[in-house]
């Protein structure tokens, strides 16, 4: 099966498939033309492997983590634990951002005003810093 057909079947781009090959995650058969361009011939097993790679990437596995899994499946639990920890940290950060935005009073802001409000709210919640007295008044009970 040619790369165009694999792209259509898997939903992956030509570039993504070639990247996985370059990274050594997949080794389909190929022939080279006179300018050195490789024409790949994918088997059904290659397509299944590409679908597996795409699924792992979707769930946050890095190329290096996938490479480790392919070499040593016994490392899978450690890798999964790392991904879970990283995803939880990212989620916590996103929740903090959402909470800060929800605390803003309904108003129209310039970019500078909005940045000041958010910066001050973030500092007050995480690391107290000296602030201008009028900002304490303006924030009121937001924090």
């Amino acid at each position: 099966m040619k790369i165009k057909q694999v792209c259509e079947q898997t939903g992956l781009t030509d570039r993504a498939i070639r990247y996985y090959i370059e990274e050594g995650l997949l080794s389909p058969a190929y022939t080279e033309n006179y300018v050195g361009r490789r024409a790949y011939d994918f088997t059904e097993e290659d397509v299944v492997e590409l679908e597996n790679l795409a699924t792992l990437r979707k769930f946050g596995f890095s190329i290096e983590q996938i490479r480790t899994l392919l070499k040593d499946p016994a490392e899978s639990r450690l890798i999964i634990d790392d991904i879970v920890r990283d995803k939880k940290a990212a989620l916590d950060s996103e929740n903090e951002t959402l909470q800060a935005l929800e605390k803003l009073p309904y108003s129209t802001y310039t970019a500078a005003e909005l940045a000041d409000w958010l910066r001050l709210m973030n500092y007050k919640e995480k690391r107290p810093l000296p602030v201008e007295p009028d900002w304490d008044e303006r924030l009121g009970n937001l924090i």
Side-chain angles (χ1 to χ4, degrees):
M1 181 181 321
K2 299 300 176 199
I3 199 163
K4 183 177 180 180
Q5 295 167 300
V6 174
C7 290
E8 291 169 358
Q9 188 171 337
T10 63
L12 293 169
T13 64
D14 175 279
R15 181 177 164 101
I17 293 170
R18 289 181 187 279
Y19 178 71
Y20 292 147
I21 294 167
E22 288 168 14
E23 289 295 321
L25 302 177
L26 186 72
S27 300
Y30 67 91
T31 56
E32 284 189 30
N33 65 14
Y34 63 95
V35 291
R37 178 101 170 150
R38 292 182 177 183
Y40 292 101
D41 187 24
F42 295 89
T43 64
E44 285 300 322
E45 292 80 20
D46 293 330
V47 173
V48 169
E49 189 62 29
L50 280 167
E51 290 170 340
N52 291 341
L53 292 171
T55 299
L56 292 173
R57 295 289 289 151
K58 178 182 175 187
F59 280 87
F61 287 76
S62 69
I63 296 297
E64 192 57 42
Q65 288 168 328
I66 294 170
R67 187 177 289 113
T68 299
L69 279 173
L70 293 172
K71 290 179 185 173
D72 186 6
E75 294 290 317
S76 64
R77 191 69 251 168
L78 292 173
I79 292 170
I80 293 166
D81 291 344
D82 286 346
I83 292 170
V84 168
R85 185 192 64 246
D86 293 346
K87 294 275 184 196
K88 283 182 178 179
L91 189 56
D92 289 345
S93 177
E94 286 295 315
N95 282 329
E96 289 174 10
T97 299
L98 180 60
Q99 289 170 2
L101 291 169
E102 289 176 334
K103 287 181 183 179
L104 288 169
Y106 188 79
S107 183
T108 302
Y109 301 96
T110 65
E113 289 172 331
L114 187 55
D116 285 344
W117 274 91
L118 292 170
R119 191 177 306 110
L120 183 63
M121 289 170 59
N122 188 49
Y123 287 150
K124 285 208 164 212
E125 290 176 6
K126 292 190 177 181
R127 27 186 177 147
L129 294 177
V131 294
E132 298 297 322
D134 65 323
W135 276 108
D136 281 334
E137 241 175 70
R138 289 177 70 185
L139 277 175
N141 62 6
L142 290 176
I143 51 178

